Amino acid sequence: MFITSGIINDGKPIEIDNSKIISYLNILLVDLTEEEQMSFDKLKSSSLIVDEEASLVEYFVKFKNFVIVYDDEVYYSSELDENMIDKVQYIKKGYKLHKMPSMFFENGKNKKKLDPIQMEIERLGAEHSISEENDLSFWYPRTQGIGFKSPKTIITSLTEEETTLCKTGNAEDLDFDSIVSRIYGLNPGLYLYSDLFLRLGITSNKFNFATCHLNNIDELREKLIKYFDDLVFRLEWVTEINLIIREYIKTTYQRPTIYRGMPLNTEFRVFYDFDTQTILGIYNYWDKNTMVDNLRNKDELLTFVSVADEIDSEVSKLKPQLYEEVSKKMPSVTLEGKWSIDFLYDGENFVLIDMAHAECSYYYEKVLRNQTK
């Protein structure tokens, strides 16, 4: 849905001339209950700078769940139905977006709403994020030979001494000749003087993609030092580190990049229950609403919106085919519980690139919300 100025209330768009929006909201104030008026007054009094127009917009967005399009800016609450407005189109047309917390009034106080599903996600995620089963060394061997293409992969465990150096921010002191020698000894046919992808068993550093993409194995030392510089604080609880060198998957199509070099390829996140052999959901990895709400770099945001509709369209077109392939191939995998499975479409095949417990994977809240409908 797209309006140039006005409000969307309860899913119904009301086009209002920009100069008349504040007057319209002032009229709505007359119909507030006594309790709602108290809530509005408290909202105004809590602001360091009293701005009547800003307070009006803030109140109707946070407490009434309005979408307000005013002065080339779009204000919406955290509870907004993701299909209510087309955020990508607003950005393309030069509007600024403002996501506001949803609030309620209780016992004389304005309070933020706590999303019970998000609270459950945080609880489950904390439990599952430390599972050793999330390590690539666990799930990768179990997914080989099931019919999905996957990157050629080398897994080498760092020694206790090497692990300590990495955890303490001293990765530059690693014996890289020894590590490269071990990689060559494990090589299952992966040509090391080609594009490679670097990651750890438990995590990748894809949000600084420049550290992950190697032109060849000679760049390992430089990239790995930067890699561990980024992740050192996340490795505090880790006792073992698996170093992963993978084939870099290239696509038959070209898309722009964000996160310092990460291509905006067509990718999917599938949630699958291995106990019941059931697909719980298939989602666009580059979900439009999620990306628009979370991309803070303006250039990256504009890059994303330039291809968001193209990705969305291809995901919709390919989803039935992926559903069929997952349904046929995943039952043969010897895993238990609910998992997220990431696929990259290279232009010809779905490539299985990553897995983790569903409960600690982004978008699992979509699965839970669908289950409560």
Side-chain angles (χ1 to χ4, degrees):
M1 188 181 299
F2 185 93
I3 58 174
T4 57
S5 66
I7 69 169
I8 301 173
N9 178 18
D10 197 24
K12 300 171 184 174
I14 305 173
E15 291 267 8
I16 305 171
D17 183 84
N18 191 77
S19 63
K20 298 178 180 179
I21 291 175
I22 298 302
S23 298
Y24 183 88
L25 295 177
N26 269 308
I27 293 171
L28 296 182
L29 279 182
V30 177
D31 294 327
L32 294 185
T33 65
E34 182 178 347
E35 188 177 70
E36 289 171 335
Q37 187 63 54
M38 289 174 60
S39 174
F40 177 65
D41 291 340
K42 282 188 174 293
L43 180 70
K44 285 199 301 181
S45 64
S46 66
S47 301
L48 295 176
I49 301 175
V50 178
D51 182 333
E52 192 72 28
E53 292 185 5
S55 295
L56 276 168
V57 170
E58 189 176 356
Y59 178 77
F60 281 100
V61 172
K62 289 182 174 180
F63 291 84
K64 294 292 190 177
N65 202 25
F66 282 20
V67 176
I68 298 180
V69 184
Y70 175 59
D71 277 353
D72 295 329
E73 304 193 31
V74 183
Y75 302 86
Y76 58 97
S77 82
S78 55
E79 284 198 335
L80 177 74
D81 182 329
E82 62 183 26
N83 296 314
M84 189 66 66
I85 59 173
D86 192 334
K87 298 175 187 176
V88 165
Q89 295 308 312
Y90 276 108
I91 292 172
K92 284 182 176 180
K93 293 182 184 297
Y95 287 76
K96 289 180 65 176
L97 304 188
H98 301 279
K99 182 179 180 180
M100 295 181 166
S102 186
M103 302 186 73
F104 67 102
F105 185 72
E106 183 180 73
N107 298 328
K109 294 182 180 180
N110 290 331
K111 302 178 180 179
K112 284 187 180 180
K113 285 186 179 179
L114 298 177
D115 183 345
I117 288 182
Q118 195 58 48
M119 291 171 65
E120 178 69 0
I121 287 289
E122 290 177 7
R123 183 187 69 81
L124 292 171
E127 292 178 7
H128 287 266
S129 62
I130 59 174
S131 172
E132 294 179 353
E133 293 187 357
N134 292 321
D135 196 291
L136 183 144
S137 63
F138 177 82
W139 56 261
Y140 176 74
R142 290 167 169 78
T143 59
Q144 296 308 288
I146 64 171
F148 279 116
K149 180 180 177 180
S150 64
K152 295 176 182 177
T153 299
I154 301 171
I155 306 170
T156 180
S157 298
L158 297 187
T159 65
E160 184 177 344
E161 180 184 359
E162 290 168 341
T163 298
T164 300
L165 288 173
C166 296
K167 290 174 61 176
T168 55
N170 296 297
E172 69 274 8
D173 294 331
L174 291 169
D175 183 344
F176 285 92
D177 288 339
S178 173
I179 293 174
V180 171
S181 178
R182 298 204 308 263
I183 290 171
Y184 270 103
L186 294 167
N187 194 341
L190 174 58
Y191 181 55
L192 296 175
Y193 279 87
S194 61
D195 290 275
L196 304 170
F197 184 78
L198 168 69
R199 60 163 291 171
L200 304 184
I202 54 170
T203 187
S204 72
N205 193 34
K206 60 190 176 186
F207 297 115
N208 184 1
F209 200 77
T211 66
C212 302
H213 183 196
L214 283 63
N215 290 304
N216 57 64
I217 196 65
D218 288 343
E219 294 184 348
L220 180 64
R221 185 181 193 281
E222 172 194 353
K223 296 296 179 77
L224 198 56
I225 290 172
K226 293 178 180 177
Y227 198 107
F228 281 113
D229 280 347
D230 286 350
L231 295 182
V232 63
F233 295 112
R234 293 173 57 187
L235 299 175
E236 184 178 356
W237 54 271
V238 174
T239 57
E240 297 180 357
I241 296 177
N242 286 316
L243 179 64
I244 314 295
I245 304 293
R246 311 194 84 184
E247 173 188 6
Y248 185 87
I249 300 299
K250 297 183 179 180
T251 59
T252 61
Y253 53 90
Q254 297 296 316
R255 296 245 178 84
T257 65
I258 58 174
Y259 302 143
R260 298 190 63 209
M262 186 176 185
L264 287 161
N265 295 324
T266 301
E267 298 182 43
F268 302 79
R269 174 154 289 177
V270 177
F271 289 96
Y272 187 83
D273 188 336
F274 284 96
D275 296 339
T276 61
Q277 297 183 354
T278 304
I279 295 173
L280 304 175
I282 299 180
Y283 302 98
N284 181 355
Y285 184 85
W286 302 109
D287 177 76
K288 288 198 294 187
N289 288 290
T290 301
M291 295 300 295
V292 166
D293 283 346
N294 289 283
L295 273 173
R296 295 290 175 257
N297 182 289
K298 183 179 179 180
D299 290 337
E300 290 190 339
L301 179 59
L302 293 175
T303 296
F304 172 73
V305 300
S306 72
V307 294
D309 290 332
E310 177 185 341
I311 296 172
D312 210 39
S313 175
E314 187 158 42
V315 165
S316 296
K317 180 179 70 174
L318 292 170
K319 188 182 290 187
Q321 180 183 342
L322 180 57
Y323 189 101
E324 183 179 356
E325 290 196 32
V326 170
S327 298
K328 289 180 179 178
K329 297 171 183 178
M330 280 301 155
S332 63
V333 177
T334 56
L335 289 172
E336 297 178 350
K338 301 179 181 69
W339 287 72
S340 69
I341 311 166
D342 292 347
F343 292 92
L344 181 156
Y345 183 68
D346 67 4
E348 297 175 352
N349 301 286
F350 297 109
V351 186
L352 197 164
I353 56 174
D354 206 1
M355 291 183 66
H357 282 197
E359 293 86 350
C360 59
S361 299
Y362 213 87
Y363 299 141
Y364 187 56
E365 76 279 359
K366 293 179 179 288
V367 173
L368 296 185
R369 291 190 200 285
N370 283 337
Q371 291 175 348
T372 60
K373 287 182 179 178

